[in-house]
Amino acid sequence: MNKKISELNTLIGIISKIDSLRYGYFVDPEGLNRAVAKLSLPGIKSIWKKARKEIGEFSRSLAKSKKFRKYSMISILLKFFALISVTTILLSFTLVYYKPEYFPMLKPFVTPFFTIIFMVLIPNVYVITDYFVRRYVKNYLRGLGVKERKRLKSVINELVLILIKEAKKANIDRKKLEIKTFYADYNNLEVIKKPGLLRETYVTIPKF
């Protein structure tokens, strides 16, 4: 039973990621390949072959974009600096609190000036840059082709049928099989939560 639930959760993750790609978010095709390879569900491999071509084309097209590569590199560097900055400030305040004798050495890092730069400015620059990278990727992928996205929708519908079949065989409550999707137009998914202020996806469960 535990193995079956684990496999169905992996399948749910695959469905969500393909839906994200259909919406316009970049998805690592190799990560999807590894996830599918772990599954022993009947019919999954043949369905995956249909999706792999479209996903590969999406990814290769995006990888050729110099703008995407530049933005991605900047975003990765800023993320690294943001993590280092926040960690440095937190460690400095912790050491000063528990070991006051370190205060003279750490004084520059616990001043308001450095706190604002390390805790606010650098992390926010990263967040803003990452937002523009994601927006660029979404707009770029959305313009690649309507036919490809229709085929991805068809693949998701087939994967949902496998999810339903295997969940019914294992007598798993469908309410435990929540799937986050950007679209609500799939044949056998029921919407239980709509996008809100802090959530941009639908929360769905399979119909059976």
Side-chain angles (χ1 to χ4, degrees), residues 23 31 44 50 65 81 89 91 98 114 145-146 174 189 202 207:
Y23 182 72
I44 190 74
K50 299 176 184 179
S65 169
F81 285 125
I89 292 296
L91 285 177
Y98 288 104
F114 272 91
V146 175
R174 71 191 189 106
L189 290 183
Y202 292 92
K207 297 177 182 178

Side-chain angles (χ1 to χ4, degrees), residues 189-200:
L189 290 183
E190 176 186 339
V191 175
I192 58 172
K193 293 180 184 177
K194 295 183 178 181
L197 183 62
L198 300 177
R199 184 183 60 252
E200 59 179 338

Side-chain angles (χ1 to χ4, degrees), residues 129-146:
T129 304
D130 189 63
Y131 165 76
F132 281 109
V133 172
R134 291 178 181 275
R135 191 176 72 171
Y136 171 77
V137 171
K138 184 163 66 175
N139 292 337
Y140 187 89
L141 290 178
R142 280 182 174 179
L144 287 182
V146 175

Side-chain angles (χ1 to χ4, degrees), residues 41-81:
L41 302 174
I44 190 74
K45 298 297 191 299
S46 61
I47 294 174
W48 175 241
K49 288 180 181 178
K50 299 176 184 179
R52 188 164 52 189
K53 181 179 178 181
E54 279 74 23
I55 293 172
E57 288 176 357
F58 272 55
S59 302
R60 283 191 294 273
S61 179
L62 184 61
K64 291 177 183 178
S65 169
K66 292 181 180 179
K67 194 173 183 180
F68 168 71
R69 293 200 300 269
K70 181 178 72 174
Y71 282 172
S72 296
M73 183 58 66
I74 293 172
S75 180
I76 290 169
L77 289 173
L78 285 172
K79 182 179 182 180
F80 172 76
F81 285 125

Side-chain angles (χ1 to χ4, degrees), residues 77-169:
L77 289 173
L78 285 172
K79 182 179 182 180
F80 172 76
F81 285 125
L83 290 172
I84 293 297
S85 299
V86 172
T87 303
T88 299
I89 292 296
L90 291 177
L91 285 177
S92 297
F93 274 98
T94 302
L95 280 172
V96 168
Y97 181 80
Y98 288 104
K99 300 283 186 179
E101 61 269 25
Y102 286 108
F103 178 73
M105 181 178 65
L106 298 172
K107 185 177 179 180
F109 296 102
V110 295
T111 60
F113 176 75
F114 272 91
T115 301
I116 291 172
I117 290 178
F118 280 54
M119 291 289 288
V120 179
L121 184 61
I122 294 178
N124 274 287
V125 170
Y126 159 68
V127 170
I128 293 169
T129 304
D130 189 63
Y131 165 76
F132 281 109
V133 172
R134 291 178 181 275
R135 191 176 72 171
Y136 171 77
V137 171
K138 184 163 66 175
N139 292 337
Y140 187 89
L141 290 178
R142 280 182 174 179
L144 287 182
V146 175
K147 290 183 179 179
E148 287 79 4
R149 286 198 294 277
K150 284 184 177 179
R151 285 199 286 268
L152 292 179
K153 177 185 175 182
S154 175
V155 166
I156 290 174
N157 281 328
E158 293 184 68
L159 292 176
V160 170
L161 288 177
I162 290 179
L163 177 67
I164 291 171
K165 181 180 178 181
E166 296 302 316
K168 288 171 72 174
K169 284 199 301 186

